[in-house]
Amino acid sequence: MTDLSTERLASALGTRRHEFYAEITSTNDRAQVLLNENAPNGTVIIADSQTRGRGRLGRVWLSPAGSSLMLSYLLRPPVTSIGHVGMIGALAVAETLDAMGIKEVGIKWPNDVQIGKRKVCGVLPEVVWQGDQLIGVILGIGINVRVDFTTSALAETAISLSNVIPQVDRLDLLLQLLHKLDIWSTAAGSTDVFAAWHSRLNMLNAPVNVVSITANTQEILSGVAQEVTPEGALMIRTLDGGVHRVIAGDIALG
Ligand code: BTN
C-alpha cells in the first residue's frame, strides 16, 4: 500500500481544500491556478511525482515517485510580510522534524532545512501578482523522505529522513507539517517569525563562499556570514573588511 493516496488524504484532511496528483508538472503550477480561483488559505496540493518540479534560482527539482513529500501551500499574507513566507516554510519543517525526534535540524540561508550539514528539504516561495495587486503566495516544499542519494552527485550534501529514522509515513509527516504551517502562517508579519527562523540558522559566523545573484549579475563572495536582516538578506563580511548584502543566492561553507 502506498502511503499517499487520494483516499487516505481525503479521510485525513477532512474539510481542508486539497488536491492530490500521482503525477503533475509542478504542484506550484496548480497552486497558482487555485490562488487565482480564490481557493482558501491553507489549501494544499500534493504530488507523488512531478515532471517539471522546480527549485530555487531556476533549478530543476527532481524526485523519483514515492520518495518525497512534495506540496504547495497557499497563503495570503499582508504585502509587507511576503518575505516571511519562505521563513515560515523552513520553520514549520524544522519544527516537524524536531517533533519526530530528529537531531541536529537547522536552517541554512535562505531556507534549506538541513540535518547536520546535509539538505533534507527545499523551500520555494512564489509570489503571485495581478498588476500591482498581491493575489497570494505559494509555498512550495519538497522533503526527501526516502530518496537514495548514495550514487548521486548529491551523496555528500543531501540526506533523506529514511537515513535517520526507520519508518516514515508521508501522510503522518504531511499532517504534522500542515499543523505547523497553519500556526506559523497566522504569525506572518510578526517579529516572532524572524526571531524563530534566526535562532535556527546554522551558518552564522561561519566562513562561507556565496554566489550572490541579482537580475543581471552573479558575484562570488568569500567571507564570513555575519548576520541576516529582518527582511532575510544575508550580510557577508569579506576579507577586505567590506560588508555585502546578498538578497538572493547560494552559500557553501568555506
Ligand atoms: C530548492 O531549490 O531548494 C526549493 C525546492 C522546492 C521543491 C518543491 S517540490 C513541491 C513544489 N513544487 C515545485 O515545483 N517545487 C516545490
Side-chain angles (χ1 to χ4, degrees):
M1 184 193 70
T2 174
D3 56 351
L4 282 185
S5 66
T6 306
E7 296 70 28
R8 284 194 89 202
L9 284 160
S11 111
L13 294 179
T15 57
R16 182 191 294 270
R17 177 96 183 256
H18 69 278
E19 294 183 354
F20 170 67
Y21 296 89
E23 184 177 281
I24 195 171
T25 54
S26 157
T27 55
N28 276 25
D29 290 343
R30 180 64 191 152
Q32 177 155 1
V33 173
L34 293 184
L35 254 187
N36 284 312
E37 289 175 354
N38 281 327
N41 294 352
T43 296
V44 64
I45 299 98
I46 305 125
D48 194 42
S49 72
Q50 299 185 123
T51 53
R52 285 206 297 275
R54 51 183 181 267
R56 292 178 57 244
L57 308 171
R59 296 193 187 116
V60 173
W61 183 265
L62 287 174
S63 209
S67 66
S68 301
L69 179 63
M70 295 185 285
L71 63 106
S72 299
Y73 178 93
L74 270 52
L75 302 88
R76 287 190 180 72
V79 69
T80 48
S81 315
I82 56 181
H84 276 175
V85 173
M87 297 178 192
I88 284 170
L91 266 175
V93 172
E95 289 188 351
T96 299
L97 302 192
D98 281 353
M100 294 165 76
I102 297 172
K103 306 286 180 225
E104 291 186 74
V105 176
I107 299 174
K108 185 182 109 175
W109 183 91
N111 283 311
D112 287 353
V113 182
Q114 296 188 321
I115 297 175
K117 294 291 178 211
R118 292 176 185 219
K119 177 167 174 169
V120 68
C121 166
V123 172
L124 179 67
E126 293 182 329
V127 184
V128 179
W129 301 92
Q130 201 166 65
D132 57 4
Q133 191 198 340
L134 175 68
I135 304 295
V137 187
I138 298 159
L139 179 55
I141 296 178
I143 303 179
N144 305 327
V145 175
R146 38 184 166 261
V147 185
D148 182 0
F149 291 107
T150 42
T151 57
S152 100
L154 302 175
E156 301 297 316
T157 55
I159 193 167
S160 284
L161 296 181
S162 59
N163 296 128
V164 288
I165 44 174
Q167 286 277 322
V168 186
D169 181 313
R170 287 181 294 168
L171 179 58
D172 291 344
L173 178 64
L174 173 71
L175 294 178
Q176 294 193 50
L177 176 59
L178 289 175
H179 176 63
K180 299 290 184 187
L181 286 171
D182 291 344
I183 293 171
W184 276 112
S185 58
T186 63
S190 114
T191 51
D192 293 352
V193 174
F194 176 74
W197 173 78
H198 185 273
S199 72
R200 287 189 167 268
L201 291 173
N202 62 8
M203 30 34 79
L204 289 180
N205 299 314
V208 289
N209 296 314
V210 182
V211 184
S212 170
I213 299 169
T214 65
N216 322 309
T217 62
Q218 275 208 18
E219 187 185 10
I220 297 180
L221 300 166
S222 295
V224 171
Q226 187 167 296
E227 201 27 296
V228 286
T229 69
E231 300 74 40
L234 176 67
M235 306 305 290
I236 298 290
R237 185 162 37 76
T238 45
L239 293 179
D240 60 6
V243 177
H244 304 253
R245 187 168 189 272
V246 183
I247 295 168
D250 253 343
I251 61 178
L253 292 184

